[in-house]
Amino acid sequence: MAASIREAPGVKILQIPKKGKGLFADKDFKEGDTLFSEEPLVCTQFLWNAYYKYTACDYCMKSLETAEEMYRRLASLPSASLPHYECCDRKCHEGEHVTCPHCQILYCSARCRDQAWSQHHQTLCLGASRDDPDHPLNKLQETWRNMHFPPETASIMILVRMIAMVKQTSNKEAILSAFSEFCHRTVNEEEAIAHKLLGTEFQEQVEILRNLFTESLYDEELSQWFTPTGFRSLFALLGTNGQGIGTSALSVWVKNCDQLNLPESERAELDKFIDKVYEDMDKESGMFLNCEGSGLYALQSTCNHSCVPNAEVTFPHNNHVLEMIATQDIKAGQEICICYLDECQRDRSRHSRQKVLRDNYLFTCSCVKCEEQVNDPDVSSAEDDSDEEGSDMEMDS
């Protein structure tokens, strides 16, 4: 099992009346401190990302391109070069990649390959059938892609890996207990989550996915997960708790460039060059600028929402390792909260924020900011409504 945890030094999970679980500081933290670090119980790259050749480690999602290779591909500039090559994550060079000897799936290291094999890949390895479109697992992935166009917010492959983990483990009780700790929903809420993930035809689509899921992985010991109710519950668990993951060799290069001690004129020139790099990529590749996926994180999933959060999720290592960073000083006993809204949505009216949270996360926010604005008019601008229609479904708690 991955190094997912339900506790860490300095933080603790507590029950909150009428609210459920919450994560609290067990000591004082300063702004910028790392509150905790954790690996996911399970994660996977989004299928559209993989389809568009975002090469990543199949276990930890580490980007397997150099920053320069990534820039060339995303900007369609095959001869482009980046300065300060020393700022690139040198470990992602192609010569250090390893593969599954049976199906040739890529990993960043032998450790990740072995971890994947022991966790889920022994069950899911397709061997020579990896490119067979008629294999049930390949049909499942293709069906998901055709139902769930980008930007993706979840992946059917997390559910596939969950089943494989239970099949492979020698301690099924421990794995099932770990999954049971994540937030669960009522039957009606589960249906609402499926509707959000799959759109207006969700009932028919859920059944299509369930049939392919069953054909691929059915196990008598886990028969409850393959029933219509059980599969919908798995779907809701994913929709409610999935945390988006973004990795990028180029982002690591930019971060390291920012830390260089340069003369003022060189700094200005480098900043201008970096701006152009992003303009070039955005013009050519649009939304596909990072390797993206989703994972289930035990501690992160207990963090509740606030429109004025005191912490934020980061992925500083160009892989699936999550670090929760304090965005302000946090006192011992204070709840650790993150914001489920994107940067644009945070600045909208209370009415608009509440609508996004009710529609996508099934709760009404009562944070300090919302309480202070309780008497504000319940109106939304056209810009608010537009943002809400395109809001991300990824649920964190």
Side-chain angles (χ1 to χ4, degrees), residues 209-221:
L209 289 170
R210 186 182 72 84
N211 288 334
L212 288 169
F213 189 75
T214 302
E215 183 182 356
S216 305
L217 295 159
Y218 184 76
D219 187 296
E220 185 65 36
E221 289 187 79

Side-chain angles (χ1 to χ4, degrees), residues 375-393:
N375 294 319
D376 287 1
D378 287 344
V379 295
S380 300
S381 67
E383 188 177 16
D384 287 342
D385 292 335
S386 175
D387 285 342
E388 286 160 16
E389 288 173 9
S391 64
D392 194 296
M393 170 59 194

Side-chain angles (χ1 to χ4, degrees), residues 248-263:
S248 167
L250 190 72
S251 294
V252 173
W253 174 80
V254 170
K255 179 182 177 182
N256 290 336
C257 283
D258 287 343
Q259 296 173 355
L260 292 173
N261 184 15
L262 299 174

Side-chain angles (χ1 to χ4, degrees), residues 81-287:
S81 61
L82 296 179
H84 299 288
Y85 187 70
E86 72 278 7
C87 291
C88 180
D89 182 352
R90 295 172 182 269
K91 293 180 182 177
C92 67
H93 288 180
E94 186 174 355
E96 298 187 23
H97 300 172
V98 298
T99 62
C100 169
H102 310 290
C103 68
Q104 308 309 308
I105 280 180
L106 282 172
Y107 298 97
C108 68
S109 65
R111 176 185 179 275
C112 277
R113 180 189 61 196
D114 295 345
Q115 288 278 88
W117 185 260
S118 64
Q119 185 195 75
H120 61 260
H121 191 61
Q122 185 175 354
T123 295
L124 301 178
C125 182
L126 300 184
S129 299
R130 181 184 173 189
D131 297 320
D132 179 5
D134 293 324
H135 190 284
L137 273 176
N138 288 332
K139 287 166 64 176
L140 177 63
Q141 293 181 72
E142 177 66 17
T143 301
W144 173 265
R145 274 202 306 269
N146 290 334
M147 290 180 178
H148 203 79
F149 292 99
E152 285 179 272
T153 56
S155 176
I156 192 70
M157 294 309 293
I158 286 188
L159 304 188
V160 167
R161 290 186 177 188
M162 287 170 65
I163 294 289
M165 287 170 66
V166 179
K167 281 188 169 189
Q168 285 190 205
T169 186
S170 59
N171 190 349
K172 285 183 171 55
E173 185 176 335
I175 293 284
L176 291 171
S177 176
F179 290 143
S180 72
E181 290 292 325
F182 287 96
C183 175
H184 292 269
R185 298 291 185 177
T186 66
V187 170
N188 288 339
E189 288 175 331
E190 288 176 353
E191 186 168 294
I193 292 167
H195 188 284
K196 277 289 181 179
L197 281 173
L198 291 172
T200 55
E201 304 298 324
F202 75 97
Q203 289 180 323
E204 178 183 351
Q205 292 180 341
V206 166
E207 189 60 16
I208 291 171
L209 289 170
R210 186 182 72 84
N211 288 334
L212 288 169
F213 189 75
T214 302
E215 183 182 356
S216 305
L217 295 159
Y218 184 76
D219 187 296
E220 185 65 36
E221 289 187 79
L222 301 173
S223 58
Q224 73 277 9
W225 279 2
F226 295 91
T227 65
T229 300
F231 184 67
R232 188 176 59 193
S233 293
L234 279 182
F235 223 75
L237 184 150
L238 171 61
T240 306
N241 298 279
Q243 166 63 49
I245 303 169
T247 63
S248 167
L250 190 72
S251 294
V252 173
W253 174 80
V254 170
K255 179 182 177 182
N256 290 336
C257 283
D258 287 343
Q259 296 173 355
L260 292 173
N261 184 15
L262 299 174
E264 188 174 336
S265 60
E266 288 186 35
R267 169 57 59 192
E269 185 177 344
L270 180 57
D271 288 346
K272 184 178 179 181
F273 178 83
I274 290 172
D275 287 342
K276 184 178 184 304
V277 164
Y278 280 105
E279 288 173 9
D280 291 341
M281 294 189 303
D282 184 63
K283 182 167 34 176
E284 184 68 27
S285 300
M287 69 181 72

Side-chain angles (χ1 to χ4, degrees), residues 317-381:
H317 306 295
N318 191 29
N319 62 13
H320 66 190
V321 176
L322 177 154
E323 288 194 0
M324 188 70 71
I325 305 297
T327 56
Q328 56 184 259
D329 292 351
I330 301 174
K331 297 292 185 182
Q334 188 176 351
E335 186 176 7
I336 297 166
C337 292
I338 58 178
C339 188
Y340 299 174
L341 306 173
D342 64 31
E343 289 294 333
C344 183
Q345 291 166 344
R346 294 185 196 190
D347 295 329
R348 300 303 185 209
S349 68
R350 175 183 182 273
H351 177 69
S352 292
R353 298 196 311 273
Q354 295 274 358
K355 185 176 188 305
V356 172
L357 293 168
R358 281 195 302 271
D359 289 350
N360 291 333
Y361 301 90
L362 310 182
F363 73 90
T364 299
C365 183
S366 58
C367 73
V368 173
K369 184 175 181 179
C370 286
E371 290 299 299
E372 288 176 348
Q373 298 175 347
V374 70
N375 294 319
D376 287 1
D378 287 344
V379 295
S380 300
S381 67

